[in-house]
Amino acid sequence: MKPAEAYILNQEEPFKSILLQLQLLIETKFPSVEMRYKWKIPVYYLNDQHLCYLNCSVKKGYVDVGFWAKDHLENYNEFLVTEGRTVVKSLRYFSVEEIDAKILLSVVEEAYHKKHKGFYKK
């Protein structure tokens, strides 16, 4: 088993169910994404570029889907968490029922189209 998959499957509920639902939605909409294990969390790549990451905060009780293009994401800002962050925005889920596929996939798609405007310069 790959480390990113192990990360998901070894989580306690409800985190495992949230992560599996997010994985299903992202990989169904974007079949060419690759989930890798980086920084001890699952990170999605598309065309070898960071797309988003999945991170459990067990102590705080949520799962974040994080995006690096903080200043460039414009859609659904009312759902994106930025508190105390300078580079990242995230969608935060406390339960599977909170996941709105339309919002999630729209933000992932926007991040993909704006990946060249990320916080890092090459």
Side-chain angles (χ1 to χ4, degrees):
M1 183 178 332
K2 294 180 181 178
E5 293 167 348
Y7 175 93
I8 292 171
L9 295 176
N10 290 332
Q11 296 297 324
E12 296 178 14
E13 290 297 345
F15 308 108
K16 179 167 51 171
S17 293
I18 296 169
L19 289 164
L20 287 169
Q21 181 67 15
L22 294 170
Q23 180 184 17
L24 175 69
L25 290 168
I26 292 168
E27 292 179 11
T28 299
K29 174 73 175 178
F30 303 97
S32 59
V33 295
E34 180 184 359
M35 184 173 58
R36 301 179 194 167
Y37 192 67
K38 188 167 182 168
W39 305 302
K40 299 183 180 180
I41 57 173
V43 178
Y44 276 107
Y45 287 79
L46 193 55
N47 301 327
D48 245 5
Q49 298 251 332
H50 300 107
L51 183 60
C52 63
Y53 66 84
L54 307 177
N55 185 42
C56 286
S57 180
V58 176
K59 287 183 181 179
K60 296 181 181 178
Y62 60 78
V63 173
D64 266 347
V65 180
F67 304 92
W68 288 277
K70 175 186 176 197
D71 293 332
H72 305 290
L73 294 176
E74 298 168 357
N75 297 330
Y76 297 108
N77 270 316
E78 64 273 22
F79 298 102
L80 291 162
V81 177
T82 59
E83 62 193 38
R85 298 171 169 176
T86 56
V87 177
V88 175
K89 284 185 180 181
S90 68
L91 292 169
R92 185 165 288 171
Y93 302 106
F94 292 88
S95 69
V96 173
E97 294 76 25
E98 290 183 354
I99 299 171
D100 183 320
K102 178 183 174 189
I103 294 171
L104 170 68
L105 297 175
S106 175
V107 175
V108 172
E109 188 162 358
E110 182 183 15
Y112 171 70
H113 289 297
K114 295 185 178 185
K115 67 186 179 305
H116 61 286
K117 297 181 182 179
F119 69 93
Y120 52 90
K121 304 274 188 245
K122 289 191 177 187

